[in-house]
Amino acid sequence: MQTVNLFTGKRHDNVKFGQQAEQRVGQSQREVAGNVSAEPGAKVPAGLAQVYFGAGKPQASAAGFDAIRDLVVGSVDKAKYTQATEVISFDEYLQQVYEDPKLIRTSAQRIYDMIIDGGRKRVQVDGDSIYTYDFFKNPLVKADALSGMEKPIHQLVESVRGAAAHSGPEKRIILMVGPVGTAKTTLVDIMKRGLESYTRTDEGKLYSLQWDLRGEDGKKLFDDLPDVVDSPMNEDPFLVIPNERDPKAPNEPSPRQKILKQLNENVFLPKFRQEHGDEIPPYTLQSKGDLSPTSKDIYNRLMKHYGGDFSQVLKHVKAKKIALSETDRVGLTTFEPADEKSLRRGHLTGEVNLRELMRRGTDSDPHAFGYDGELPQGNRGIGHFDELLKIPKPLLYPLLTASEKKKFKPDKFPLISYDGLLIGTTNIPDWNKVKNDKHLEAIRSRIIEIEVPYNEKVDDEMGIYNKDFGKDAKELGIHVGPHAVWAASLWAVMSRLAPPPNGITLLQKALLYNGEEIKNYTPQKVAQMKKDVPEESLELLRGVSPRDVQDALSMALNHPDVIDPEEGYRSIDPFLVIDCLKAQLGSGGVSNLTKEERKEYSQMLADVETEVKRRIKKDVHRALAGDESDLQHLFEKYTTEVNAWLTSEKVKDEVNGRMREPDEAYMQAIESKLGVTDANRAEHRKTLMQQIGVKTFSKQEFTYKTDQNLRRALEEYMIDSFGDLKLPVLAQRGTAKKEDQEKIEVIKARLIKDFGYDDHTAEIALTIASDPSNRGTSRD
């Protein structure tokens, strides 16, 4: 497929262009690889020879090499490492628990605190009051930053809160459902990365159970076990405290529950009230798990060895500080479905360790069991199950038990306690299949569904692309013109919307969803419009994926019009982006579209292109009208006239200095842009001056920027005032009058300085503004 750039006239074969780009990338990769090749005859740079092949260090680069070596040696802080892996006695651990009971939090409680500690803010979204969380807006890894998604994130945190409070969600799998490219996995990754960092802090630290099986003489107590045995599931040392009720008093709490009650009533809750006042605590401390079979066997052996003296047993209990880590599979795991024949139950629950089986002779020995499944390794953290509903049904049942009973059952072993947050991700067709299958009720009833749709706001969609595309363009020294990313974002959002109600276009509906104002549509009316969308329309659950748009933007970055060293502009304009989006549609790059849908999406692109031209023309008119000081002058003049009209006073004329009556024509010209009529003119003017008075009384400034409607009215008034000015067609600039040429250069300079254009995109803007066919706005 070929496309023609609107302003260069160049024609490009997009398929051939893509192949050439791949060849260039492959060649570059081979060249880089060749620089460090160890093949016979290959020439290796001297500096790299030292690093890769141990050759003698070149004298000239000795200082540089020493500096790198110092960085390598100093990359690990010995003091921090020692502190992070400290091992303390059970008494020391219990003392820390008493001073800070949060040490024994469940996984959900720790995750909830981590999110809340980042800060939150209550906002109104479509008439609903929800929280936004800085933890997700400003994650540790900036590349993970999310744009939009306020509602799904709020629902996710509320589910975690419920799990922390043991009010029901702790017995469910949280399942995030949505189309491809909605950052479902990124949400989970943000929490994982957060836990990796949080558990290395004093606020989020946690300990794992460790058994020291040496006697006072330093000799082994048990020949078949190592001197030191770490908990295979990173169990909380608190679990060694018995949780069995006295058979003679079955209604009395267990020893562990008695301790928990004292910690909650005497330490945790008073401390919470001291810090948070009358706020209701989100949870109370709980501990219901049992020791793993391995730890239980060691516990029983020690109890037998000491004749039931639990105080002696506790001398062998240690607490080892740990930090959760997905790389090391410590409390953070990800399970992806594979071929059904290659998956075993043991991949989830763990299974017998063949080496230990050979030593012990029986596959039911607790020390023959290997805790390498996703559930035991994800204990005390997060277990993420990607494409959860693609996991074969026989393997789903251990997850259902783990979610509801907080235990899992390996073959030939008892139920094993589990404390982890189970999160799944899936697509809409797989979820609908489960919802509609009566035989899958057991699975469906153990799931909390969180719908993760595409973004509905163009600004949020832009946030996705600016994160990577904007960064890449900046690193390559490529200027991204105004409206370029906006055009791609608007098209993506339009493709996801249900047909609009009568009276507005699909493009206008997208702008309304983005918070822009269109006559006769209040925020309340827009919120109701969203609620009235039929569920079967799948609004925001279908359409163009951000991945398809990102592919088009990548094509723009490598387009010949941009990268050509002789003729390239080093600038991406919105029409180049639209060309690349057309290429994606024409070549089948946008997946799963019918012929009719491709035609429909092409028309949307044409509408976007028209709207881009309108907005560019508006930029030129604003540049033509003047700068912000001119707007401020118009505002001051308008408020002065209104105030004089309300107080029946006269105004000093700016031109001749004489006192005159308020300029009614001027006031009405501004007010016509605000939709003010004769019927409500007096009320409007009175309300405006009251607002100014309130701001002034509270020592706040009221400018034209304070009221966005007024600002737009002033801008439109300025544009109308200069609407009779005609720009010379650029093709005739050589024969234009000197004063016209100078005027064009002034406008161009303003576009570059105040509106984000560069020389290339400013030329395009002036060309569009000189075309009489580009008239009107999306609000017409």
Side-chain angles (χ1 to χ4, degrees):
M1 176 181 176
Q2 292 186 332
T3 59
V4 179
N5 185 277
L6 293 173
F7 297 98
T8 63
K10 291 184 179 179
R11 186 176 298 274
H12 298 289
D13 187 318
N14 290 286
V15 176
K16 182 178 179 182
F17 164 61
Q19 294 172 346
Q20 292 172 344
E22 291 180 1
Q23 292 172 358
R24 288 196 296 272
V25 172
Q27 181 180 356
S28 299
Q29 291 174 338
R30 288 191 295 274
E31 290 173 354
V32 173
N35 287 338
V36 294
S37 172
E39 295 178 2
K43 294 183 179 180
V44 182
L48 291 177
Q50 168 65 27
V51 177
Y52 286 94
F53 310 117
K57 181 173 63 176
Q59 187 65 33
S61 61
F65 175 80
D66 288 343
I68 293 176
R69 185 179 183 281
D70 290 342
L71 288 173
V72 172
V73 173
S75 61
V76 176
D77 189 317
K78 181 179 178 181
K80 288 185 178 179
Y81 177 81
T82 303
Q83 184 181 10
T85 57
E86 70 174 353
V87 178
I88 58 178
S89 68
F90 184 79
D91 282 350
E92 292 173 314
Y93 165 78
L94 197 60
Q95 178 67 34
Q96 287 197 33
V97 170
Y98 178 77
E99 294 171 356
D100 183 10
K102 283 187 175 182
L103 202 60
I104 61 172
R105 287 171 290 183
T106 64
S107 59
Q109 290 169 348
R110 183 171 286 104
I111 293 169
Y112 180 75
D113 285 343
M114 171 187 70
I115 295 171
I116 293 299
D117 287 354
R120 65 181 182 178
K121 181 173 65 175
R122 185 179 289 276
V123 297
Q124 291 289 324
V125 178
D126 298 333
D128 298 326
S129 180
I130 66 173
Y131 285 108
T132 58
Y133 298 89
D134 291 343
F135 174 81
F136 292 100
K137 293 296 182 182
N138 301 293
L140 291 171
V141 179
K142 291 184 178 180
D144 289 339
L146 299 174
S147 184
M149 301 182 67
E150 287 87 359
K151 284 188 175 180
I153 291 174
H154 176 76
Q155 293 169 2
L156 173 62
V157 178
E158 287 300 294
S159 297
V160 175
R161 178 189 175 100
H166 279 70
S167 60
E170 80 283 358
K171 298 181 179 180
R172 301 290 181 265
I173 299 173
I174 297 174
L175 181 62
M176 290 187 285
V177 183
V180 297
T182 53
K184 300 182 293 294
T185 299
T186 301
L187 267 173
V188 185
D189 288 341
I190 289 174
M191 290 196 291
K192 287 181 180 178
R193 302 295 84 78
L195 279 175
E196 288 180 331
S197 176
Y198 187 64
T199 53
R200 287 173 169 82
T201 66
D202 289 339
E203 293 80 10
K205 69 179 178 181
L206 72 163
Y207 286 91
S208 173
L209 174 61
Q210 184 184 83
W211 299 97
D212 187 339
L213 301 180
R214 293 169 292 192
E216 294 183 359
D217 57 1
K219 296 181 180 179
K220 284 186 177 182
L221 294 181
F222 310 111
D223 292 336
D224 64 323
L225 295 174
D227 291 345
V228 176
V229 178
D230 287 319
S231 164
M233 291 179 58
N234 298 307
E235 304 156 87
D236 191 332
F238 200 74
L239 296 184
V240 301
I241 302 174
N243 201 31
E244 296 81 14
R245 297 176 185 269
D246 186 347
K248 297 179 180 179
N251 295 319
E252 292 294 317
S254 68
R256 194 193 303 172
Q257 296 306 317
K258 291 179 180 178
I259 296 172
L260 280 169
K261 183 179 180 181
Q262 291 191 37
L263 287 174
N264 277 313
E265 293 179 355
N266 300 332
V267 186
F268 175 69
L269 292 177
K271 187 175 181 180
F272 181 88
R273 294 189 186 99
Q274 182 179 0
E275 295 175 354
H276 301 277
D278 295 332
E279 184 179 336
I280 299 175
Y283 58 82
T284 56
L285 301 171
Q286 301 195 34
S287 177
K288 298 180 179 179
D290 299 317
L291 291 171
S292 67
T294 297
S295 293
K296 188 67 174 177
D297 179 72
I298 294 173
Y299 172 88
N300 289 336
R301 288 203 208 183
L302 289 171
M303 287 292 286
K304 183 177 180 180
H305 179 77
Y306 289 112
D309 187 346
F310 187 48
S311 64
Q312 293 297 316
V313 173
L314 289 177
K315 292 181 180 180
H316 295 274
V317 177
K318 305 294 181 183
K320 178 182 178 180
K321 184 182 285 188
I322 61 170
L324 301 190
S325 168
E326 184 167 28
T327 303
D328 299 328
R329 296 188 80 218
V330 178
L332 299 172
T333 59
T334 298
F335 183 82
E336 297 180 348
D339 178 63
E340 187 169 347
K341 295 180 180 179
S342 64
L343 288 176
R344 302 188 304 276
R345 183 187 183 94
H347 288 143
L348 290 178
T349 64
E351 54 195 352
V352 171
N353 183 314
L354 294 180
R355 180 177 295 180
E356 285 297 321
L357 174 62
M358 296 295 293
R359 291 182 55 207
R360 298 183 179 276
T362 173
D363 57 5
S364 61
D365 187 294
H367 299 283
F369 183 69
Y371 296 83
D372 56 353
E374 300 300 321
L375 289 172
Q377 291 305 305
N379 189 46
R380 306 193 74 189
I382 293 176
H384 174 210
F385 296 86
D386 192 22
E387 295 295 346
L388 174 76
L389 301 181
K390 285 185 171 62
I391 299 175
K393 281 194 290 185
L395 293 185
L396 279 176
Y397 292 117
L399 292 183
L400 303 183
T401 305
S403 64
E404 184 158 1
K405 297 184 178 180
K406 306 308 292 183
K407 296 176 184 291
F408 61 90
K409 176 69 171 65
D411 293 337
K412 298 186 179 182
F413 286 90
L415 286 167
I416 299 177
S417 294
Y418 172 77
D419 171 30
L421 193 67
L422 295 175
I423 303 179
T425 51
T426 192
N427 58 56
I428 294 173
D430 284 344
W431 175 236
N432 287 338
K433 182 179 179 181
V434 170
K435 288 198 297 183
N436 297 326
D437 191 336
K438 295 181 180 180
H439 300 288
L440 299 177
E441 178 64 28
I443 296 174
R444 186 169 63 253
S445 64
R446 290 174 172 86
I447 283 176
I448 294 177
E449 176 198 5
I450 297 178
E451 191 176 86
V452 186
Y454 286 128
N455 280 324
E456 65 178 31
K457 292 184 177 181
V458 178
D459 289 345
D460 290 338
E461 191 73 7
M462 289 179 63
I464 297 175
Y465 309 130
N466 284 328
K467 184 172 60 175
D468 294 325
F469 170 72
K471 177 184 176 183
D472 293 342
K474 185 176 181 180
E475 290 178 349
L476 292 170
I478 296 174
H479 178 267
V480 178
H483 313 298
V485 177
W486 181 86
S489 304
L490 175 61
W491 178 68
V493 171
M494 287 174 63
S495 74
R496 304 162 186 168
L497 299 181
N502 293 331
I504 61 171
T505 65
L506 186 64
L507 187 145
Q508 287 175 319
K509 182 179 179 180
L511 297 181
L512 284 171
Y513 275 24
N514 196 47
E516 298 192 28
E517 295 179 357
I518 294 178
K519 189 176 181 179
N520 298 327
Y521 280 87
T522 63
Q524 293 76 15
K525 190 173 181 178
V526 175
Q528 187 61 47
M529 183 197 304
K530 296 178 183 179
K531 294 177 181 178
D532 292 340
V533 173
E535 185 176 348
E536 59 270 18
S537 71
L538 297 178
E539 181 166 270
L540 303 177
L541 297 176
R542 63 178 185 88
V544 175
S545 164
R547 295 171 186 171
D548 294 322
V549 177
Q550 286 167 330
D551 289 342
L553 292 174
S554 295
M555 185 186 297
L557 276 178
N558 294 281
H559 200 281
D561 283 356
V562 175
I563 63 174
D564 190 312
E566 295 181 0
E567 301 182 34
Y569 298 115
R570 305 304 292 174
S571 178
I572 295 176
D573 60 74
F575 304 101
L576 178 61
V577 170
I578 291 173
D579 282 350
C580 292
L581 290 171
K582 289 178 181 177
Q584 280 289 93
L585 274 176
S587 65
V590 179
S591 59
N592 300 323
L593 291 182
T594 65
K595 183 178 180 179
E596 291 73 19
E597 286 174 328
R598 291 187 190 279
K599 183 178 180 181
E600 180 185 355
Y601 286 10
S602 294
Q603 182 57 50
M604 292 180 193
L605 268 177
D607 294 340
V608 168
E609 183 174 315
T610 300
E611 178 63 18
V612 167
K613 290 179 180 178
R614 288 171 174 167
R615 295 193 173 221
I616 287 176
K617 184 175 182 181
K618 182 177 179 180
D619 288 344
V620 174
H621 279 186
R622 291 172 64 188
L624 178 64
D627 56 26
E628 291 192 353
S629 62
D630 296 324
L631 285 173
Q632 180 65 23
H633 174 73
L634 285 180
F635 168 75
E636 291 173 354
K637 174 177 169 58
Y638 174 66
T639 53
T640 299
E641 302 286 350
V642 169
N643 184 63
W645 181 86
L646 283 171
T647 57
S648 300
E649 296 178 354
K650 291 188 177 183
V651 179
K652 185 177 181 179
D653 192 277
E654 293 179 335
V655 178
N656 56 35
R658 296 175 181 175
M659 301 304 293
R660 58 168 174 79
E661 296 296 327
D663 189 343
E664 185 65 32
Y666 173 73
M667 290 186 286
Q668 291 191 20
I670 300 293
E671 290 160 0
S672 67
K673 306 298 183 183
L674 292 166
V676 176
T677 64
D678 290 338
N680 62 354
R681 196 176 307 283
E683 183 63 26
H684 160 75
R685 294 176 181 178
K686 182 179 179 181
T687 301
L688 174 64
M689 297 313 297
Q690 286 176 342
Q691 291 174 342
I692 295 176
V694 170
K695 286 283 187 181
T696 304
F697 181 78
S698 59
K699 297 182 179 180
Q700 298 180 31
E701 188 177 10
F702 191 106
T703 70
Y704 73 93
K705 298 179 181 179
T706 306
D707 187 329
Q708 290 301 312
N709 291 327
L710 181 56
R711 173 175 184 163
R712 190 180 75 244
L714 293 170
E715 289 177 345
E716 291 180 359
Y717 174 83
M718 291 177 68
I719 291 172
D720 287 349
S721 299
F722 292 92
D724 58 336
L725 294 178
K726 304 296 182 182
L727 288 170
V729 178
L730 290 184
Q732 300 175 349
R733 181 180 295 186
T735 60
K737 296 179 180 179
K738 181 179 180 182
E739 61 184 34
D740 287 335
Q741 292 179 355
E742 291 176 349
K743 180 172 63 176
I744 289 174
E745 292 305 319
V746 169
I747 297 170
K748 184 176 177 181
R750 284 180 179 173
L751 286 171
I752 294 173
K753 178 179 179 291
D754 299 329
F755 297 91
Y757 289 78
D758 68 346
D759 188 79
H760 168 64
T761 52
E763 291 282 355
I764 292 176
L766 292 170
T767 302
I768 289 173
S770 66
D771 186 347
S773 65
N774 299 316
R775 299 187 183 278
T777 70
S778 60
R779 297 186 180 86
D780 291 346

